[in-house]
Amino acid sequence: MRNDNKQFGLAYLGLSEAGDYLAQHDGRVLGVVGFGHRATVAHTPVWVDIPVLGGLGTSVEVWTSNAPVEPLAYQGLVGASDGNVLFASLSLEQRAGETLEMLATQAYTGIFDFIDHHDYPNLLRVWHYFPKINDDENGLERYRGFNIGRHTAFVASGRGIGAENVPAASALGSDSGALTIYFIAGKQPGKALENPRQISAYRYPKLFGPRSPIFARAMSATLGGQYCCLVSGTASIVGYETLHRGDAEKQAAETLLNIRILLQQIPHYNAAQGHMSLKVYLRHAGDLDMVRSKVQAEFGMACEAVYLHSNICRSDLLLEIEGAYFIDAR
Ligand code: 3EB
């Protein structure tokens, strides 16, 4: 079941449905993100050049509020807020002489300035997309450079790196374009969740780059009367290590187990009453049918899932799954 017209929530729409949906939610749209083929959509979406699998061509991610929304802008970032949370985005083109590390620092500095300026200081959920994620740049994988830059900005903002300040996140490769980031921040802090099967990402050993990634495994918050759990990109990692190198089927099973264990920590979790939406990122398009059948077996047919063809931030990962779970908080 899709969120009804008055709820806080999320929908993944085909292009033909997006127009009506946005019209129905007029004045309550927090953010719109397009994946795949570019097309004209109301609300000038953020575009991410990642192909949509399964024949859709374009997928439109729409975040809506139960409350009226107002636009926000500050220093090149644009977004909208409902008085409780804000949604915003930025795109930074990498120019000659710039490294992804520099861009990441610039992006996160802008994000912190923006959310502090508007007084939504709690970063809840961040999505990062950039091209050539696993390629080398000045002797370091670009994703690892990204992690250094993010770390620099976190420290410079005065935010500690721990459960109090770390958002849920995803980081994926796009086929082209700028470093594109969109995020949700709150007036109130959420509650970060970690996975007992996994070391917190911000405590990964240096083996995975000079600076660890900074994210929590999930973030929960009550938004517009809905209990909401935003699950970070989740992969076949146990402890800090990738399991099942080269075996997409086993990675899919391990990833789904990681998500299941994470969801077990949610006091309100009820698969029958709540609603789960997923974004599934596949390194190889040929794994679509296998992964989709495993996802459907785990979550049932009512679970909304979008399948995208993209590189994953560790070169040995073949897939990653993120989610958003909503349930009436009353
Ligand atoms: C992992 O568990 C997989 O760098 O922001 C997942 C979610 C991953 C977010 C990020 C990275 C990020 O380490 C990779």
Side-chain angles (χ1 to χ4, degrees), residues 6 86 94 152 154 174 186 219 243 247 257-258 281 303 324 329:
K6 292 275 155 57
L86 69 73
Q94 191 171 350
T152 303
F154 254 88
S174 55
M219 181 66 72
L243 293 196
D247 187 333
L257 179 57
N258 272 334
Y281 303 93
C303 167

Side-chain angles (χ1 to χ4, degrees), residues 156-285:
S157 82
R159 286 165 162 86
I161 298 167
E164 304 294 296
N165 286 311
V166 169
S170 301
L172 283 304
S174 55
D175 284 1
S176 72
L179 166 63
T180 300
I181 299 181
Y182 61 96
F183 57 93
I184 295 173
K187 289 265 180 213
Q188 309 299 327
K191 186 177 181 304
L193 303 180
E194 292 296 324
N195 188 329
R197 303 182 82 224
Q198 300 181 299
I199 303 281
S200 296
Y202 52 87
R203 300 210 174 100
Y204 282 167
K206 294 245 187 319
L207 192 64
F208 301 99
R211 292 293 185 194
S212 301
I214 300 176
F215 67 94
R217 299 297 172 182
M219 181 66 72
S220 64
T222 301
L223 304 174
Q226 296 252 93
Y227 173 86
C228 166
C229 182
L230 304 172
V231 177
S232 291
T234 304
S236 178
I237 296 174
V238 175
Y240 48 76
E241 277 174 317
T242 300
L243 293 196
H244 318 301
R245 280 194 183 79
D247 187 333
E249 200 159 344
K250 286 190 176 154
Q251 286 202 8
E254 200 71 53
T255 300
L256 289 168
L257 179 57
N258 272 334
I259 295 175
R260 194 189 310 156
I261 299 292
L262 193 59
L263 294 174
Q264 281 172 4
Q265 296 181 71
I266 302 177
H268 310 270
Y269 187 69
N270 179 333
Q273 277 178 30
H275 182 246
M276 177 65 93
S277 303
L278 301 174
K279 252 153 76 200
V280 180
Y281 303 93
L282 302 179
R283 189 180 288 275
H284 303 302

Side-chain angles (χ1 to χ4, degrees), residues 77-112:
L77 276 75
V78 289
S81 73
D82 67 359
N84 183 37
V85 292
L86 69 73
F87 178 105
S89 65
L90 72 158
S91 263
L92 294 178
E93 213 62 65
Q94 191 171 350
R95 296 196 211 95
E98 288 179 334
T99 60
L100 198 66
E101 176 187 337
M102 292 158 68
L103 245 57
T105 302
Q106 196 185 326
Y108 263 87
T109 303
I111 291 169
F112 291 137

